[in-house]
Amino acid sequence: MKENEEEIPLLECERKRVFFLLMAVGGYLGAFTFTLRGGVFCNAQTANIVLLSIALGSGAWRTALYYLLPISAYFFGTVISELVPNHIKKMHHVRWDTVLVGIEAVVIFLLGFVPDAWPYQITHVTVNFICSMQYNTFRQAEHIPMATTFCTNHIRQAGIYVSKWLKHRDVPAHKARFLSHVKMLLSFLAGGIVSTFAGKLFGVKAVWGAAIMLVLLFTDLLHADLTTEKDLMDLKPSGH
């Protein structure tokens, strides 16, 4: 952590507890789309880019066009999450981070009403879109760069900091950083486990489990916006 970062107040949307819950939502949605919506992951785009390249290399043009849909949804989710916050900020009532979590909760709640007979692509594109906005919005947890919709970087960072910790036992920050990333991974794992069990019991309506977590998070962030942080609306979260 840089010295000047210690002087900047931490916002509620930067707290690790917020990121733990967002990671659980990410794991929950990943397991949901894979087990109940066509065996695909919608939280990130690496797999879709690979599948697009395979389709193009095989001359499967129609299949290639399909993969452009989730990739485009992810792209436009990022664009919107860059443009909209400025307009929300001018209102001086709530943060974009809070609004986004509320939007996610509503959208995921509505996905619970999508019949099994409808194309899975409806869910795929929707989850791609909201995961993109979430990933681009929540960037740092207590000044530590984090991702909330996938795990690759957390595994990498955990490896880096456990190595630093083993080499420099006298630096407690390395151990703390390692444990932070491990806890993020465990949160993601827990979300996926709960989602799998819920899917067996409730089918497509199991997606409401993610909506419940987001409603809890929305309530927490909204309370901070309207009370403890109402005078900090001009302060940007770290990483933006």
Side-chain angles (χ1 to χ4, degrees):
M1 183 185 298
K2 298 178 181 178
E3 291 183 4
N4 61 338
E5 288 180 338
E6 296 179 355
E7 302 173 0
I8 301 174
L10 276 175
L11 300 170
E12 184 64 19
C13 61
E14 298 177 275
R15 298 289 180 182
K16 288 181 183 178
R17 58 177 175 266
V18 169
F19 278 70
F20 289 145
L21 198 53
L22 287 172
M23 283 294 289
V25 170
Y28 197 102
L29 292 176
F32 174 79
T33 58
F34 189 85
T35 58
L36 295 173
R37 283 293 178 260
V40 300
F41 297 111
C42 298
N43 296 23
Q45 293 306 298
T46 302
N48 282 329
I49 296 292
V50 172
L51 291 170
L52 173 63
S53 67
I54 293 172
L56 291 173
S58 303
W61 311 118
R62 182 173 296 182
T63 301
L65 284 174
Y66 162 70
Y67 287 116
L68 287 176
L69 286 175
I71 294 170
S72 298
Y74 209 90
F75 171 80
F76 285 112
T78 301
V79 172
I80 289 175
S81 66
E82 286 290 323
L83 296 177
V84 173
N86 289 330
H87 298 285
I88 300 296
K89 184 178 179 181
K90 292 178 182 178
M91 298 171 63
H92 291 282
H93 295 302
V94 294
R95 293 186 175 279
W96 160 247
D97 313 68
T98 305
V99 173
L100 171 60
V101 171
I103 292 172
E104 282 191 76
V106 172
V107 170
I108 291 175
F109 176 74
L110 293 176
L111 285 180
F113 293 103
V114 176
D116 285 329
W118 288 19
Y120 290 158
Q121 287 84 348
I122 295 173
T123 300
H124 296 170
V125 170
T126 302
V127 173
N128 273 294
F129 185 73
I130 62 176
C131 281
S132 171
M133 290 195 292
Q134 180 179 306
Y135 171 50
N136 192 49
T137 299
F138 293 88
R139 301 183 184 183
Q140 290 193 19
E142 300 180 18
H143 305 303
I144 302 174
M146 295 284 186
T148 60
T149 59
F150 54 88
C151 295
T152 305
N153 191 53
H154 290 294
I155 296 173
R156 171 178 171 268
Q157 293 295 333
I160 289 172
Y161 282 98
V162 76
S163 299
K164 290 184 177 181
W165 175 39
L166 291 173
K167 290 187 293 184
H168 305 285
R169 298 281 186 133
D170 57 331
V171 183
H174 296 331
K175 179 182 178 181
R177 189 71 71 92
F178 161 68
L179 291 175
S180 293
H181 287 288
V182 169
K183 290 175 183 177
M184 292 294 169
L185 290 168
L186 291 175
S187 296
F188 195 94
L189 181 65
I193 292 172
V194 174
S195 178
T196 302
F197 279 111
K200 294 177 180 178
L201 293 174
F202 305 110
V204 67
K205 288 182 172 51
V207 76
W208 287 346
I212 291 172
M213 288 188 281
L214 288 167
V215 167
L216 293 174
L217 185 54
F218 173 75
T219 303
D220 174 52
L221 294 176
L222 183 62
H223 178 266
D225 288 347
L226 299 179
T227 58
T228 57
E229 297 179 1
K230 64 180 180 180
D231 296 325
L232 300 175
M233 283 295 142
D234 290 328
L235 184 63
K236 285 186 177 182
S238 300
H240 288 266

